[in-house]
Amino acid sequence: MVRTSLQHITSSGVTVGYNGTTNYTDLFDEDDLIPVVLRTLLWVGGIVVITMTLSLALGQLLNARFPGRRVVRWAVIVPWAASVLMTALIWKWMLDNYSGLVNRVLLDLHIIDKPVNWLAHPGQAMLWMMWVAVFVSLPFTSFVILAGLQTIPEDVYEAARVDGASAFRTYFGITLPLLRPAILIASIINVINVFNSFPIIWAMTAGGPGSDTDTTTTFMYKLAFYDQHVGESGAMAVVNFALILVMVLFYLRAARWREEVR
């Protein structure tokens, strides 16, 4: 990847020779680069925060005892076990402005007056794609949280009840601190997966209109296969790697990873 970013490669894939930092210079001269990077940070941050928040609640639900709990757990796995591309295509069809289920339901409920082409507007398209990303990320994250909950000894909760601790104080004083390793693992894996998410965006909007819904991953693909700038795409790949590394390190620092390891 690094070698490719430093070479001059023709559109037919022939390596002409060393190109120095020209590919990086051309990449940073791209007008769309800064908006794409900022959109990627919003994409990753928004999806991971929402996924983790919902997973904490869903994990608690799956950990509770109720009739049919095993069936519910299996049902929650389905969005994660299914193909991400298939899920994205299903949601794209559901959002179709002529025959989509979403427009049909909203029209029947008189929430909208006429069909809306949800994926034609960048802001709306990004929100819908973020929802799909949350939808496919929830199962894995919820089961990581569930696994963490099941490692918490029951006698800790019994001691809290004896001391008269409320449910609110028990959750924030016992459950969340003891869930820290599970939350850390789930968050890091989500950051990496969401950052590298290609099928959802490509299947639903292909980064369009223009580059208005591109992230750095789809932007990198377009540089290579649309613009035929293979070396510049390699430079984008290196920048992607640096970005995700920085995000993970920042998260580890914010989560006081060193103290956790000690």
Side-chain angles (χ1 to χ4, degrees):
M1 181 177 65
V2 175
R3 184 177 68 241
T4 300
S5 71
L6 298 173
Q7 292 178 333
H8 179 207
I9 301 175
T10 66
S11 59
S12 59
V14 176
T15 301
V16 177
Y18 179 71
N19 204 26
T21 59
T22 303
N23 291 325
Y24 290 92
T25 303
D26 292 342
L27 174 65
F28 290 118
D29 285 339
E30 293 281 353
D31 294 333
D32 293 326
L33 180 63
I34 299 301
V36 165
V37 170
L38 294 177
R39 194 178 305 117
T40 302
L41 296 176
L42 175 63
W43 166 266
V44 174
I47 293 171
V48 171
V49 168
I50 295 172
T51 300
M52 293 305 304
T53 303
L54 294 178
S55 294
L56 285 170
L58 188 56
Q60 291 282 350
L61 174 64
L62 296 176
N63 194 44
R65 296 183 180 278
F66 57 88
R69 181 175 66 170
R70 180 175 296 180
V71 176
V72 173
R73 287 181 176 180
W74 278 105
V76 170
I77 293 177
V78 173
W80 176 74
S83 163
V84 176
L85 178 61
M86 181 187 72
T87 304
L89 287 174
I90 289 173
W91 276 98
K92 181 180 181 180
W93 295 333
M94 290 173 62
L95 293 168
D96 184 81
N97 55 320
Y98 292 111
S99 58
L101 178 63
V102 173
N103 273 321
R104 186 67 269 161
V105 171
L106 294 178
L107 285 169
D108 290 344
L109 294 175
H110 303 290
I111 296 176
I112 58 176
D113 298 324
K114 58 182 180 179
V116 178
N117 191 353
W118 300 102
L119 299 180
H121 306 282
Q124 294 176 354
M126 283 299 296
L127 290 175
W128 278 109
M129 290 191 297
M130 288 176 74
W131 157 245
V132 175
V134 170
F135 180 74
V136 299
S137 301
L138 268 177
F140 170 79
T141 312
S142 298
F143 275 89
V144 172
I145 298 297
L146 174 62
L149 287 169
Q150 293 182 339
T151 63
I152 301 176
E154 184 61 31
D155 55 1
V156 176
Y157 290 114
E158 291 179 3
R161 285 192 291 268
V162 170
D163 291 340
S166 64
F168 181 85
R169 187 170 183 181
T170 300
Y171 183 76
F172 286 95
I174 296 176
T175 304
L176 270 185
L178 293 178
L179 273 179
R180 191 174 171 185
I183 292 173
L184 187 69
I185 292 170
S187 298
I188 292 175
I189 293 176
N190 266 310
V191 166
I192 296 171
N193 286 341
V194 172
F195 186 93
N196 289 318
S197 181
F198 181 85
I200 294 174
I201 299 174
W202 199 253
M204 295 183 72
T205 65
S211 296
D212 290 341
T213 56
D214 268 326
T215 62
T216 53
T217 304
T218 55
F219 187 65
M220 174 182 65
Y221 180 87
K222 286 182 176 180
L223 286 174
F225 295 99
Y226 281 21
D227 300 338
Q228 302 293 309
H229 297 158
V230 180
E232 192 176 338
S233 178
M236 185 73 253
V238 174
V239 172
N240 276 353
F241 177 77
L243 282 172
I244 197 168
L245 185 63
V246 167
M247 283 192 287
V248 170
L249 290 176
F250 265 117
Y251 181 82
L252 290 175
R253 184 176 180 83
R256 299 178 183 176
W257 175 70
R258 292 182 180 178
E259 292 182 14
E260 186 67 39
V261 171
R262 291 173 186 173

